[in-house]
């Protein structure tokens, strides 16, 4: 496994994460003073976000259902736990957006290559009841 967001696992096949990027910031407030550049006061952690680029070869390996799961997770708005394949804990995130690009369309109009971009943002851990309710909704929609 390369990475995992909630129930979605990125593996070499069928859903391959090819790269990810992370942006993390600090929050500062400017204090206005006369005749000088305003000193900045550190107010804590700022936003933290990730972007993941993945690729699917549905004709060869399948995996189209994973796109539906990502869409359901995004639509629910519920935090998902993110973890790297080496066990690195990335924390709780929400899915801001999922973009898909299909190329080499087959006779049915399905892409033989589907590139996926996922935008994530760090959030706090959900309440236990809300999290399990969200998981149940996602799994019920799949099965």
């Amino acid at each position: 496994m390369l990475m995992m967001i909630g129930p979605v696992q990125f593996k070499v096949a069928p859903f391959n994460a090819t790269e990810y990027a992370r942006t993390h910031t600090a929050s500062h407030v400017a204090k206005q003073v006369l005749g000088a550049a305003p000193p900045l006061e550190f107010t804590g952690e700022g936003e933290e976000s990730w972007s993941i680029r993945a690729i699917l070869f549905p004709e060869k390996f399948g995996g189209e259902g994973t796109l539906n799961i990502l869409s359901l997770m995004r639509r629910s708005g519920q935090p998902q736990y993110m973890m790297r394949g080496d066990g690195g804990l990335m924390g709780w995130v929400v899915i801001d957006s999922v973009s898909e690009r299909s190329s080499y369309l087959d006779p049915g109009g399905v892409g033989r290559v589907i590139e996926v971009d996922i935008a994530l943002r760090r959030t706090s851990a959900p309440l236990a009841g809300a999290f399990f309710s969200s998981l149940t909704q996602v799994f019920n929609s799949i099965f």
Side-chain angles (χ1 to χ4, degrees):
M1 179 184 73
L2 302 171
M3 183 175 285
M4 187 170 174
I5 301 169
V8 173
Q9 289 186 8
F10 297 85
K11 300 177 181 179
V12 174
F15 200 34
N16 185 8
T18 58
E19 64 181 79
Y20 78 92
R22 176 180 172 219
T23 302
H24 40 104
T25 63
S27 179
H28 295 87
V29 172
K31 301 287 187 175
Q32 300 301 318
V33 295
L34 270 169
L40 300 177
E41 179 183 342
F42 177 69
T43 56
E45 281 288 318
E47 292 258 335
E48 188 170 359
S49 61
W50 285 268
S51 62
I52 298 173
R53 184 160 284 168
I55 194 163
L56 275 168
F57 300 95
E59 187 176 78
K60 198 149 196 90
F61 303 116
E64 283 180 282
T66 307
L67 296 177
N68 294 332
I69 295 170
L70 282 171
S71 181
L72 290 169
M73 289 173 12
R74 178 196 50 77
R75 218 177 294 145
S76 79
Q78 292 297 314
Q80 304 295 325
Y81 201 74
M82 187 163 111
M83 182 173 71
R84 275 194 327 242
D86 67 351
L89 306 175
M90 310 299 272
W92 291 95
V93 297
V94 291
I95 300 174
D96 279 336
S97 66
V98 178
S99 302
E100 304 169 27
R101 285 175 307 287
S102 296
S103 56
Y104 306 103
L105 303 182
D106 69 11
V110 177
R112 289 185 175 106
V113 177
I114 302 174
E115 297 175 84
V116 181
D117 291 318
I118 306 163
L120 306 152
R121 197 167 6 150
R122 178 179 297 286
T123 188
S124 56
L127 298 173
F131 176 68
F132 290 113
S133 170
S134 164
L135 274 181
T136 303
Q137 288 173 6
V138 170
F139 285 118
N140 286 339
S141 299
I142 297 167
F143 303 109

PDB file of all heavy atoms in Angstrom, residues 14-49:
ATOM      1  N   PRO A  14      -5.103  -1.457  -8.353  1.00  0.00           N
ATOM      2  CA  PRO A  14      -5.590  -0.736  -9.517  1.00  0.00           C
ATOM      3  C   PRO A  14      -5.503   0.776  -9.394  1.00  0.00           C
ATOM      4  O   PRO A  14      -5.555   1.480 -10.392  1.00  0.00           O
ATOM      5  CB  PRO A  14      -7.053  -1.174  -9.587  1.00  0.00           C
ATOM      6  CG  PRO A  14      -7.456  -1.380  -8.170  1.00  0.00           C
ATOM      7  CD  PRO A  14      -6.210  -1.920  -7.497  1.00  0.00           C
ATOM      8  N   PHE A  15      -5.402   1.338  -8.170  1.00  0.00           N
ATOM      9  CA  PHE A  15      -5.416   2.790  -7.990  1.00  0.00           C
ATOM     10  C   PHE A  15      -4.044   3.225  -7.501  1.00  0.00           C
ATOM     11  O   PHE A  15      -3.700   3.025  -6.346  1.00  0.00           O
ATOM     12  CB  PHE A  15      -6.509   3.152  -6.989  1.00  0.00           C
ATOM     13  CG  PHE A  15      -6.968   4.582  -7.048  1.00  0.00           C
ATOM     14  CD1 PHE A  15      -7.014   5.272  -8.236  1.00  0.00           C
ATOM     15  CD2 PHE A  15      -7.373   5.226  -5.898  1.00  0.00           C
ATOM     16  CE1 PHE A  15      -7.462   6.568  -8.287  1.00  0.00           C
ATOM     17  CE2 PHE A  15      -7.826   6.524  -5.923  1.00  0.00           C
ATOM     18  CZ  PHE A  15      -7.873   7.195  -7.124  1.00  0.00           C
ATOM     19  N   ASN A  16      -3.258   3.819  -8.381  1.00  0.00           N
ATOM     20  CA  ASN A  16      -1.862   4.117  -8.115  1.00  0.00           C
ATOM     21  C   ASN A  16      -1.664   5.599  -7.826  1.00  0.00           C
ATOM     22  O   ASN A  16      -1.931   6.437  -8.674  1.00  0.00           O
ATOM     23  CB  ASN A  16      -1.022   3.701  -9.333  1.00  0.00           C
ATOM     24  CG  ASN A  16       0.459   3.861  -9.095  1.00  0.00           C
ATOM     25  OD1 ASN A  16       0.895   4.146  -7.998  1.00  0.00           O
ATOM     26  ND2 ASN A  16       1.226   3.693 -10.141  1.00  0.00           N
ATOM     27  N   ALA A  17      -1.210   5.928  -6.613  1.00  0.00           N
ATOM     28  CA  ALA A  17      -0.829   7.303  -6.295  1.00  0.00           C
ATOM     29  C   ALA A  17       0.565   7.531  -6.870  1.00  0.00           C
ATOM     30  O   ALA A  17       1.513   6.835  -6.511  1.00  0.00           O
ATOM     31  CB  ALA A  17      -0.828   7.529  -4.793  1.00  0.00           C
ATOM     32  N   THR A  18       0.688   8.472  -7.782  1.00  0.00           N
ATOM     33  CA  THR A  18       1.972   8.706  -8.440  1.00  0.00           C
ATOM     34  C   THR A  18       2.771   9.817  -7.780  1.00  0.00           C
ATOM     35  O   THR A  18       3.983   9.865  -7.911  1.00  0.00           O
ATOM     36  CB  THR A  18       1.769   9.031  -9.925  1.00  0.00           C
ATOM     37  OG1 THR A  18       0.919  10.170 -10.048  1.00  0.00           O
ATOM     38  CG2 THR A  18       1.156   7.847 -10.653  1.00  0.00           C
ATOM     39  N   GLU A  19       2.084  10.735  -7.086  1.00  0.00           N
ATOM     40  CA  GLU A  19       2.799  11.794  -6.377  1.00  0.00           C
ATOM     41  C   GLU A  19       1.855  12.482  -5.397  1.00  0.00           C
ATOM     42  O   GLU A  19       0.643  12.395  -5.533  1.00  0.00           O
ATOM     43  CB  GLU A  19       3.377  12.833  -7.342  1.00  0.00           C
ATOM     44  CG  GLU A  19       2.346  13.605  -8.138  1.00  0.00           C
ATOM     45  CD  GLU A  19       2.965  14.598  -9.106  1.00  0.00           C
ATOM     46  OE1 GLU A  19       3.413  14.171 -10.170  1.00  0.00           O
ATOM     47  OE2 GLU A  19       2.988  15.793  -8.753  1.00  0.00           O
ATOM     48  N   TYR A  20       2.436  13.119  -4.390  1.00  0.00           N
ATOM     49  CA  TYR A  20       1.630  13.959  -3.514  1.00  0.00           C
ATOM     50  C   TYR A  20       2.465  15.155  -3.095  1.00  0.00           C
ATOM     51  O   TYR A  20       3.702  15.136  -3.132  1.00  0.00           O
ATOM     52  CB  TYR A  20       1.068  13.190  -2.311  1.00  0.00           C
ATOM     53  CG  TYR A  20       2.024  12.919  -1.175  1.00  0.00           C
ATOM     54  CD1 TYR A  20       2.116  13.804  -0.103  1.00  0.00           C
ATOM     55  CD2 TYR A  20       2.808  11.778  -1.139  1.00  0.00           C
ATOM     56  CE1 TYR A  20       2.977  13.555   0.950  1.00  0.00           C
ATOM     57  CE2 TYR A  20       3.663  11.519  -0.093  1.00  0.00           C
ATOM     58  CZ  TYR A  20       3.742  12.416   0.959  1.00  0.00           C
ATOM     59  OH  TYR A  20       4.600  12.172   1.997  1.00  0.00           O
ATOM     60  N   ALA A  21       1.762  16.214  -2.736  1.00  0.00           N
ATOM     61  CA  ALA A  21       2.412  17.438  -2.281  1.00  0.00           C
ATOM     62  C   ALA A  21       1.735  17.880  -0.994  1.00  0.00           C
ATOM     63  O   ALA A  21       0.547  17.639  -0.793  1.00  0.00           O
ATOM     64  CB  ALA A  21       2.299  18.526  -3.335  1.00  0.00           C
ATOM     65  N   ARG A  22       2.503  18.503  -0.127  1.00  0.00           N
ATOM     66  CA  ARG A  22       1.974  18.971   1.154  1.00  0.00           C
ATOM     67  C   ARG A  22       2.352  20.434   1.335  1.00  0.00           C
ATOM     68  O   ARG A  22       3.492  20.821   1.071  1.00  0.00           O
ATOM     69  CB  ARG A  22       2.562  18.130   2.279  1.00  0.00           C
ATOM     70  CG  ARG A  22       2.171  18.575   3.658  1.00  0.00           C
ATOM     71  CD  ARG A  22       2.803  17.662   4.707  1.00  0.00           C
ATOM     72  NE  ARG A  22       2.590  18.185   6.035  1.00  0.00           N
ATOM     73  CZ  ARG A  22       3.481  18.146   7.001  1.00  0.00           C
ATOM     74  NH1 ARG A  22       4.671  17.612   6.781  1.00  0.00           N
ATOM     75  NH2 ARG A  22       3.208  18.636   8.178  1.00  0.00           N
ATOM     76  N   THR A  23       1.385  21.219   1.784  1.00  0.00           N
ATOM     77  CA  THR A  23       1.629  22.624   2.103  1.00  0.00           C
ATOM     78  C   THR A  23       1.201  22.843   3.540  1.00  0.00           C
ATOM     79  O   THR A  23       0.084  22.465   3.920  1.00  0.00           O
ATOM     80  CB  THR A  23       0.794  23.549   1.187  1.00  0.00           C
ATOM     81  OG1 THR A  23       1.135  23.282  -0.166  1.00  0.00           O
ATOM     82  CG2 THR A  23       1.050  25.003   1.507  1.00  0.00           C
ATOM     83  N   HIS A  24       2.081  23.430   4.359  1.00  0.00           N
ATOM     84  CA  HIS A  24       1.712  23.734   5.738  1.00  0.00           C
ATOM     85  C   HIS A  24       2.179  25.135   6.061  1.00  0.00           C
ATOM     86  O   HIS A  24       3.224  25.587   5.585  1.00  0.00           O
ATOM     87  CB  HIS A  24       2.252  22.697   6.731  1.00  0.00           C
ATOM     88  CG  HIS A  24       3.634  22.216   6.446  1.00  0.00           C
ATOM     89  ND1 HIS A  24       4.729  22.632   7.150  1.00  0.00           N
ATOM     90  CD2 HIS A  24       4.092  21.350   5.515  1.00  0.00           C
ATOM     91  CE1 HIS A  24       5.810  22.037   6.683  1.00  0.00           C
ATOM     92  NE2 HIS A  24       5.450  21.258   5.690  1.00  0.00           N
ATOM     93  N   THR A  25       1.379  25.846   6.837  1.00  0.00           N
ATOM     94  CA  THR A  25       1.636  27.264   7.093  1.00  0.00           C
ATOM     95  C   THR A  25       1.592  27.565   8.591  1.00  0.00           C
ATOM     96  O   THR A  25       1.126  26.762   9.384  1.00  0.00           O
ATOM     97  CB  THR A  25       0.583  28.144   6.381  1.00  0.00           C
ATOM     98  OG1 THR A  25      -0.705  27.847   6.924  1.00  0.00           O
ATOM     99  CG2 THR A  25       0.565  27.901   4.889  1.00  0.00           C
ATOM    100  N   ALA A  26       2.059  28.757   8.924  1.00  0.00           N
ATOM    101  CA  ALA A  26       1.939  29.308  10.272  1.00  0.00           C
ATOM    102  C   ALA A  26       1.054  30.546  10.169  1.00  0.00           C
ATOM    103  O   ALA A  26       0.969  31.175   9.113  1.00  0.00           O
ATOM    104  CB  ALA A  26       3.312  29.684  10.820  1.00  0.00           C
ATOM    105  N   SER A  27       0.403  30.882  11.253  1.00  0.00           N
ATOM    106  CA  SER A  27      -0.480  32.042  11.272  1.00  0.00           C
ATOM    107  C   SER A  27       0.184  33.180  12.048  1.00  0.00           C
ATOM    108  O   SER A  27       0.705  32.954  13.147  1.00  0.00           O
ATOM    109  CB  SER A  27      -1.810  31.651  11.918  1.00  0.00           C
ATOM    110  OG  SER A  27      -2.663  32.749  11.967  1.00  0.00           O
ATOM    111  N   HIS A  28       0.172  34.357  11.463  1.00  0.00           N
ATOM    112  CA  HIS A  28       0.744  35.547  12.103  1.00  0.00           C
ATOM    113  C   HIS A  28      -0.225  36.714  11.979  1.00  0.00           C
ATOM    114  O   HIS A  28      -0.939  36.822  10.984  1.00  0.00           O
ATOM    115  CB  HIS A  28       2.065  35.958  11.430  1.00  0.00           C
ATOM    116  CG  HIS A  28       3.145  34.955  11.595  1.00  0.00           C
ATOM    117  ND1 HIS A  28       3.321  33.898  10.739  1.00  0.00           N
ATOM    118  CD2 HIS A  28       4.118  34.840  12.535  1.00  0.00           C
ATOM    119  CE1 HIS A  28       4.355  33.179  11.130  1.00  0.00           C
ATOM    120  NE2 HIS A  28       4.850  33.720  12.217  1.00  0.00           N
ATOM    121  N   VAL A  29      -0.220  37.597  12.970  1.00  0.00           N
ATOM    122  CA  VAL A  29      -1.014  38.818  12.923  1.00  0.00           C
ATOM    123  C   VAL A  29      -0.051  39.991  12.957  1.00  0.00           C
ATOM    124  O   VAL A  29       0.884  40.024  13.767  1.00  0.00           O
ATOM    125  CB  VAL A  29      -1.988  38.899  14.130  1.00  0.00           C
ATOM    126  CG1 VAL A  29      -2.679  40.243  14.187  1.00  0.00           C
ATOM    127  CG2 VAL A  29      -2.983  37.777  14.073  1.00  0.00           C
ATOM    128  N   ALA A  30      -0.274  40.955  12.069  1.00  0.00           N
ATOM    129  CA  ALA A  30       0.568  42.150  12.029  1.00  0.00           C
ATOM    130  C   ALA A  30       0.101  43.128  13.101  1.00  0.00           C
ATOM    131  O   ALA A  30      -1.088  43.397  13.251  1.00  0.00           O
ATOM    132  CB  ALA A  30       0.485  42.802  10.659  1.00  0.00           C
ATOM    133  N   LYS A  31       1.047  43.672  13.882  1.00  0.00           N
ATOM    134  CA  LYS A  31       0.767  44.698  14.895  1.00  0.00           C
ATOM    135  C   LYS A  31       1.242  46.029  14.328  1.00  0.00           C
ATOM    136  O   LYS A  31       2.428  46.205  14.043  1.00  0.00           O
ATOM    137  CB  LYS A  31       1.515  44.404  16.199  1.00  0.00           C
ATOM    138  CG  LYS A  31       1.189  43.073  16.823  1.00  0.00           C
ATOM    139  CD  LYS A  31      -0.188  43.109  17.419  1.00  0.00           C
ATOM    140  CE  LYS A  31      -0.428  41.832  18.198  1.00  0.00           C
ATOM    141  NZ  LYS A  31      -1.673  41.845  18.894  1.00  0.00           N
ATOM    142  N   GLN A  32       0.313  46.933  14.148  1.00  0.00           N
ATOM    143  CA  GLN A  32       0.654  48.223  13.553  1.00  0.00           C
ATOM    144  C   GLN A  32       1.434  49.092  14.546  1.00  0.00           C
ATOM    145  O   GLN A  32       1.046  49.225  15.704  1.00  0.00           O
ATOM    146  CB  GLN A  32      -0.626  48.961  13.124  1.00  0.00           C
ATOM    147  CG  GLN A  32      -1.454  48.207  12.099  1.00  0.00           C
ATOM    148  CD  GLN A  32      -0.670  47.929  10.814  1.00  0.00           C
ATOM    149  OE1 GLN A  32       0.044  48.785  10.314  1.00  0.00           O
ATOM    150  NE2 GLN A  32      -0.807  46.712  10.293  1.00  0.00           N
ATOM    151  N   VAL A  33       2.571  49.644  14.073  1.00  0.00           N
ATOM    152  CA  VAL A  33       3.381  50.565  14.871  1.00  0.00           C
ATOM    153  C   VAL A  33       3.721  51.766  14.000  1.00  0.00           C
ATOM    154  O   VAL A  33       3.737  51.667  12.771  1.00  0.00           O
ATOM    155  CB  VAL A  33       4.672  49.890  15.396  1.00  0.00           C
ATOM    156  CG1 VAL A  33       4.345  48.787  16.367  1.00  0.00           C
ATOM    157  CG2 VAL A  33       5.516  49.384  14.265  1.00  0.00           C
ATOM    158  N   LEU A  34       3.991  52.894  14.650  1.00  0.00           N
ATOM    159  CA  LEU A  34       4.326  54.115  13.917  1.00  0.00           C
ATOM    160  C   LEU A  34       5.755  54.069  13.395  1.00  0.00           C
ATOM    161  O   LEU A  34       6.674  53.718  14.117  1.00  0.00           O
ATOM    162  CB  LEU A  34       4.184  55.338  14.830  1.00  0.00           C
ATOM    163  CG  LEU A  34       2.822  55.996  14.845  1.00  0.00           C
ATOM    164  CD1 LEU A  34       2.723  57.004  15.959  1.00  0.00           C
ATOM    165  CD2 LEU A  34       2.528  56.637  13.515  1.00  0.00           C
ATOM    166  N   GLY A  35       5.943  54.387  12.131  1.00  0.00           N
ATOM    167  CA  GLY A  35       7.265  54.582  11.564  1.00  0.00           C
ATOM    168  C   GLY A  35       8.108  53.336  11.365  1.00  0.00           C
ATOM    169  O   GLY A  35       9.321  53.450  11.201  1.00  0.00           O
ATOM    170  N   ALA A  36       7.532  52.152  11.400  1.00  0.00           N
ATOM    171  CA  ALA A  36       8.324  50.934  11.205  1.00  0.00           C
ATOM    172  C   ALA A  36       7.441  49.845  10.591  1.00  0.00           C
ATOM    173  O   ALA A  36       6.217  49.939  10.592  1.00  0.00           O
ATOM    174  CB  ALA A  36       8.876  50.445  12.547  1.00  0.00           C
ATOM    175  N   ALA A  37       8.111  48.867  10.052  1.00  0.00           N
ATOM    176  CA  ALA A  37       7.371  47.720   9.533  1.00  0.00           C
ATOM    177  C   ALA A  37       6.658  47.041  10.697  1.00  0.00           C
ATOM    178  O   ALA A  37       7.213  46.950  11.792  1.00  0.00           O
ATOM    179  CB  ALA A  37       8.321  46.740   8.867  1.00  0.00           C
ATOM    180  N   PRO A  38       5.439  46.588  10.490  1.00  0.00           N
ATOM    181  CA  PRO A  38       4.699  45.981  11.604  1.00  0.00           C
ATOM    182  C   PRO A  38       5.321  44.653  12.041  1.00  0.00           C
ATOM    183  O   PRO A  38       5.606  43.792  11.213  1.00  0.00           O
ATOM    184  CB  PRO A  38       3.299  45.756  11.033  1.00  0.00           C
ATOM    185  CG  PRO A  38       3.451  45.791   9.555  1.00  0.00           C
ATOM    186  CD  PRO A  38       4.663  46.619   9.261  1.00  0.00           C
ATOM    187  N   PRO A  39       5.562  44.514  13.345  1.00  0.00           N
ATOM    188  CA  PRO A  39       6.042  43.222  13.831  1.00  0.00           C
ATOM    189  C   PRO A  39       4.916  42.193  13.723  1.00  0.00           C
ATOM    190  O   PRO A  39       3.745  42.532  13.807  1.00  0.00           O
ATOM    191  CB  PRO A  39       6.420  43.496  15.284  1.00  0.00           C
ATOM    192  CG  PRO A  39       5.683  44.731  15.663  1.00  0.00           C
ATOM    193  CD  PRO A  39       5.447  45.507  14.412  1.00  0.00           C
ATOM    194  N   LEU A  40       5.315  40.966  13.521  1.00  0.00           N
ATOM    195  CA  LEU A  40       4.332  39.891  13.374  1.00  0.00           C
ATOM    196  C   LEU A  40       4.262  39.064  14.646  1.00  0.00           C
ATOM    197  O   LEU A  40       5.286  38.671  15.197  1.00  0.00           O
ATOM    198  CB  LEU A  40       4.703  38.993  12.191  1.00  0.00           C
ATOM    199  CG  LEU A  40       4.762  39.671  10.833  1.00  0.00           C
ATOM    200  CD1 LEU A  40       5.218  38.686   9.765  1.00  0.00           C
ATOM    201  CD2 LEU A  40       3.421  40.278  10.459  1.00  0.00           C
ATOM    202  N   GLU A  41       3.049  38.807  15.094  1.00  0.00           N
ATOM    203  CA  GLU A  41       2.850  37.978  16.273  1.00  0.00           C
ATOM    204  C   GLU A  41       2.372  36.600  15.822  1.00  0.00           C
ATOM    205  O   GLU A  41       1.380  36.475  15.117  1.00  0.00           O
ATOM    206  CB  GLU A  41       1.805  38.597  17.200  1.00  0.00           C
ATOM    207  CG  GLU A  41       1.544  37.769  18.433  1.00  0.00           C
ATOM    208  CD  GLU A  41       0.458  38.363  19.315  1.00  0.00           C
ATOM    209  OE1 GLU A  41       0.140  39.550  19.175  1.00  0.00           O
ATOM    210  OE2 GLU A  41      -0.083  37.603  20.139  1.00  0.00           O
ATOM    211  N   PHE A  42       3.084  35.569  16.222  1.00  0.00           N
ATOM    212  CA  PHE A  42       2.724  34.196  15.892  1.00  0.00           C
ATOM    213  C   PHE A  42       1.455  33.830  16.656  1.00  0.00           C
ATOM    214  O   PHE A  42       1.383  33.972  17.868  1.00  0.00           O
ATOM    215  CB  PHE A  42       3.864  33.249  16.263  1.00  0.00           C
ATOM    216  CG  PHE A  42       3.556  31.798  16.032  1.00  0.00           C
ATOM    217  CD1 PHE A  42       3.423  31.298  14.747  1.00  0.00           C
ATOM    218  CD2 PHE A  42       3.389  30.931  17.104  1.00  0.00           C
ATOM    219  CE1 PHE A  42       3.139  29.953  14.527  1.00  0.00           C
ATOM    220  CE2 PHE A  42       3.108  29.584  16.896  1.00  0.00           C
ATOM    221  CZ  PHE A  42       2.979  29.101  15.600  1.00  0.00           C
ATOM    222  N   THR A  43       0.440  33.359  15.931  1.00  0.00           N
ATOM    223  CA  THR A  43      -0.826  33.013  16.575  1.00  0.00           C
ATOM    224  C   THR A  43      -1.137  31.522  16.495  1.00  0.00           C
ATOM    225  O   THR A  43      -2.211  31.089  16.883  1.00  0.00           O
ATOM    226  CB  THR A  43      -2.000  33.804  15.955  1.00  0.00           C
ATOM    227  OG1 THR A  43      -2.036  33.558  14.555  1.00  0.00           O
ATOM    228  CG2 THR A  43      -1.839  35.294  16.222  1.00  0.00           C
ATOM    229  N   GLY A  44      -0.229  30.741  15.958  1.00  0.00           N
ATOM    230  CA  GLY A  44      -0.438  29.293  15.946  1.00  0.00           C
ATOM    231  C   GLY A  44      -0.305  28.677  14.575  1.00  0.00           C
ATOM    232  O   GLY A  44       0.140  29.317  13.618  1.00  0.00           O
ATOM    233  N   GLU A  45      -0.726  27.443  14.509  1.00  0.00           N
ATOM    234  CA  GLU A  45      -0.685  26.707  13.248  1.00  0.00           C
ATOM    235  C   GLU A  45      -1.632  27.334  12.238  1.00  0.00           C
ATOM    236  O   GLU A  45      -2.705  27.795  12.589  1.00  0.00           O
ATOM    237  CB  GLU A  45      -1.113  25.250  13.476  1.00  0.00           C
ATOM    238  CG  GLU A  45      -0.042  24.380  14.062  1.00  0.00           C
ATOM    239  CD  GLU A  45       1.063  24.053  13.077  1.00  0.00           C
ATOM    240  OE1 GLU A  45       0.775  23.772  11.906  1.00  0.00           O
ATOM    241  OE2 GLU A  45       2.223  24.085  13.498  1.00  0.00           O
ATOM    242  N   GLY A  46      -1.215  27.287  10.989  1.00  0.00           N
ATOM    243  CA  GLY A  46      -2.081  27.730   9.904  1.00  0.00           C
ATOM    244  C   GLY A  46      -2.661  26.525   9.188  1.00  0.00           C
ATOM    245  O   GLY A  46      -2.695  25.419   9.713  1.00  0.00           O
ATOM    246  N   GLU A  47      -3.114  26.757   7.970  1.00  0.00           N
ATOM    247  CA  GLU A  47      -3.705  25.691   7.157  1.00  0.00           C
ATOM    248  C   GLU A  47      -2.651  24.658   6.770  1.00  0.00           C
ATOM    249  O   GLU A  47      -1.477  24.981   6.616  1.00  0.00           O
ATOM    250  CB  GLU A  47      -4.295  26.289   5.880  1.00  0.00           C
ATOM    251  CG  GLU A  47      -5.494  27.164   6.118  1.00  0.00           C
ATOM    252  CD  GLU A  47      -6.786  26.464   5.788  1.00  0.00           C
ATOM    253  OE1 GLU A  47      -6.779  25.536   4.966  1.00  0.00           O
ATOM    254  OE2 GLU A  47      -7.814  26.844   6.364  1.00  0.00           O
ATOM    255  N   GLU A  48      -3.113  23.431   6.615  1.00  0.00           N
ATOM    256  CA  GLU A  48      -2.265  22.361   6.092  1.00  0.00           C
ATOM    257  C   GLU A  48      -3.083  21.624   5.036  1.00  0.00           C
ATOM    258  O   GLU A  48      -4.241  21.271   5.271  1.00  0.00           O
ATOM    259  CB  GLU A  48      -1.859  21.406   7.210  1.00  0.00           C
ATOM    260  CG  GLU A  48      -0.836  20.392   6.802  1.00  0.00           C
ATOM    261  CD  GLU A  48      -0.278  19.618   7.987  1.00  0.00           C
ATOM    262  OE1 GLU A  48      -0.675  19.873   9.137  1.00  0.00           O
ATOM    263  OE2 GLU A  48       0.555  18.729   7.741  1.00  0.00           O
ATOM    264  N   SER A  49      -2.496  21.449   3.872  1.00  0.00           N
ATOM    265  CA  SER A  49      -3.241  20.800   2.792  1.00  0.00           C
ATOM    266  C   SER A  49      -2.334  19.859   2.013  1.00  0.00           C
ATOM    267  O   SER A  49      -1.122  19.967   2.061  1.00  0.00           O
ATOM    268  CB  SER A  49      -3.857  21.846   1.855  1.00  0.00           C
ATOM    269  OG  SER A  49      -2.836  22.631   1.263  1.00  0.00           O
TER     270      SER A  49
END
